[in-house]
Amino acid sequence: EKGGYDSFMLKEIAEQPRAVADTLLGRVDAEGALTLDEVRIPVPELRAVEKVVVVACGTAFHAGLIAKYAIEHWTRVPCEVELASEFRYRDPILDRRSLVVAISQSGETMDTLMAVRHAREQGAKVLAICNTNGSTIPRESDAVLYTHAGPEVAVASTKAFLTQLVACYLVALYLGQARGTTWGDEIRAVIRDLAGIPDALERLLATMEPVRALARSLAGQDTVLFLGRHVGYPVALEGALKLKELAYMHAEGFAAGELKHGPIALVERDLPVVVVVPSPRGRSVLHGKIVSNIQEIRARGARTVVIAEEGDEAVVPYADHLVRIPAVPTLLQPLVATVPLQVFACELATARGNEVDQPRNLAKSVTVE
Ligand code: F6R
């Protein structure tokens, strides 16, 4: 049932182009417009939303962190993202004009469920983004947008994460459409970009052999750091989480701009540092800053693993290892940038003799607080 792959995780990584395509299916009409009628929140209520709060755990939380950039960009509504396990214990400020988006692959995560219940008690509207039909979180929410990743067997989340991102982009556009902050042409353009992602992922997946070889060569390391900026920051957090849970290594993700505020003290000779580089096109200011960060850590002896867009030549002199990803619009970059990090963690775990589908101490769905 692993379809010829060594693990479910590898199989599910390979299924991502299809999972993304399926999650878009039926949500776009023949004219390229968004049709999210299944989200049964009336337009006047969407217009009245004054803030969006995303709650989730683990990898789904990282999807939420990325969603914030998309939601604020396309709707101009303030968006907070909070770990579900922290949310309800700090008496969050919610009312009828709050839209809570709960992201959960399983739909059964107790922390996220409790956050949903708390939000509804305060009168907030809750929209679930979920992969499991009929599970508890969507049943207890006001509305649901299902991701169509298909069943995810490996404990570490891969294809569910990518489809959560797609769902978050769709929600952001939908809200922007309802509120008049995003126009038809822009929405159609983003939808076209999203529709191109499955092909981009296929091309990317065909180039992962060097990433696997690199991972095997790092199996004896104790620590790996991950740096990113803007939407690349949550990608760095996700890369680090995957490595912790699968390879049982010390791994940390940082916002690259924070380096000089502390983490750079960790950099020493031969320390592998994975850097997710923003596109040099859109936000070139950030690109230049991250190139300086790469120079700084390399000057201190770090072994740099640079994840950069095809055609980005500025990073070449500072990359000990260069991983190319397809050029896509900035906000969508996590859909491609995460994939090499998934492969990296999976291969490193295997090289260390770990069971990748069933990491120690972890369960696929965490139904206790
Ligand atoms: C990491 C992972 C976990 C889950 C988290 C939330 O690879 O799988 O961090 O993302 O436990 O689970 P769901 O999405 O089912 O609520």
Side-chain angles (χ1 to χ4, degrees), residues 57-60 103-107 109 155-157 164 241-242 245 366:
C57 303
T59 289
I103 310 175
S104 175
Q105 187 285 128
S106 62
T109 299
V155 164
S157 188
Q164 284 161 356
L241 177 63
K242 284 284 164 291
E245 67 180 329
V366 185

Side-chain angles (χ1 to χ4, degrees), residues 307-358:
I307 317 274
E309 189 174 292
E310 285 157 1
D312 180 349
E313 296 307 321
V315 295
V316 175
Y318 315 110
D320 294 313
H321 306 273
L322 184 57
V323 180
R324 289 298 190 187
I325 52 174
V328 301
T330 300
L331 279 172
L332 306 189
Q333 199 201 46
L335 288 170
V336 289
T338 307
V339 174
L341 306 187
Q342 298 168 339
V343 172
F344 181 74
C346 187
E347 190 69 21
L348 228 160
T350 306
R352 285 164 72 94
N354 300 350
E355 169 52 64
V356 291
D357 287 336
Q358 290 287 340

Side-chain angles (χ1 to χ4, degrees), residues 41-44 46-47 172-182 187:
I41 301 180
V43 169
L46 293 176
R47 283 182 187 275
L173 292 170
Y174 186 63
L175 199 55
Q177 177 173 279
R179 301 173 67 86
T181 49
T182 323
I187 294 174

Side-chain angles (χ1 to χ4, degrees), residues 95-343:
D95 61 24
R96 282 182 304 109
R97 290 166 183 266
S98 315
L99 176 66
V100 171
V101 178
I103 310 175
S104 175
Q105 187 285 128
S106 62
E108 301 296 345
T109 299
M110 185 55 76
D111 285 314
T112 310
L113 175 61
M114 296 310 257
V116 165
R117 286 186 183 155
H118 185 77
R120 293 197 74 200
E121 278 161 20
Q122 311 302 305
K125 282 266 167 248
V126 178
L127 167 64
I129 291 178
C130 188
N131 195 47
T132 311
N133 265 47
S135 54
T136 311
I137 290 170
R139 274 195 280 117
E140 295 209 12
S141 299
D142 295 286
V144 56
L145 184 63
Y146 281 108
T147 50
H148 295 159
E152 194 176 59
V153 177
V155 164
S157 188
T158 55
K159 61 178 183 169
F161 176 69
L162 256 59
T163 60
Q164 284 161 356
L165 291 178
V166 170
C168 289
Y169 295 129
L170 295 179
V171 166
L173 292 170
Y174 186 63
L175 199 55
Q177 177 173 279
R179 301 173 67 86
T181 49
T182 323
W183 301 101
D185 285 350
E186 186 180 10
I187 294 174
R188 272 190 288 276
V190 180
I191 297 284
R192 258 198 312 279
D193 292 331
L194 283 169
I197 294 291
D199 279 348
L201 287 171
E202 289 289 5
R203 279 192 285 122
L204 176 62
L205 285 165
T207 63
M208 287 296 103
E209 215 35 66
V211 174
R212 298 179 74 170
L214 170 66
R216 288 191 293 269
S217 77
L218 296 177
Q221 296 283 339
D222 300 319
T223 298
V224 181
L225 302 185
F226 294 77
L227 297 179
R229 242 190 130 120
H230 192 258
V231 290
Y233 169 43
V235 172
L237 296 177
E238 174 62 7
L241 177 63
K242 284 284 164 291
L243 206 57
K244 284 178 230 187
E245 67 180 329
L246 297 168
Y248 317 148
M249 287 167 82
H250 172 228
E252 273 194 80
F254 297 108
E258 275 291 296
L259 256 188
K260 55 184 156 312
H261 301 291
I264 199 162
L266 290 170
V267 175
E268 54 189 18
R269 188 144 300 283
D270 285 335
L271 176 78
V273 183
V274 180
V275 188
V276 182
V277 180
S279 165
R281 294 165 297 128
R283 297 179 175 266
S284 48
V285 189
L286 290 186
H287 179 267
K289 288 186 194 293
I290 222 162
V291 173
S292 316
N293 292 142
I294 302 173
Q295 285 176 263
E296 282 158 13
I297 55 173
R298 198 153 182 272
R300 287 162 180 81
R303 211 163 136 184
T304 56
V305 180
V306 176
I307 317 274
E309 189 174 292
E310 285 157 1
D312 180 349
E313 296 307 321
V315 295
V316 175
Y318 315 110
D320 294 313
H321 306 273
L322 184 57
V323 180
R324 289 298 190 187
I325 52 174
V328 301
T330 300
L331 279 172
L332 306 189
Q333 199 201 46
L335 288 170
V336 289
T338 307
V339 174
L341 306 187
Q342 298 168 339
V343 172

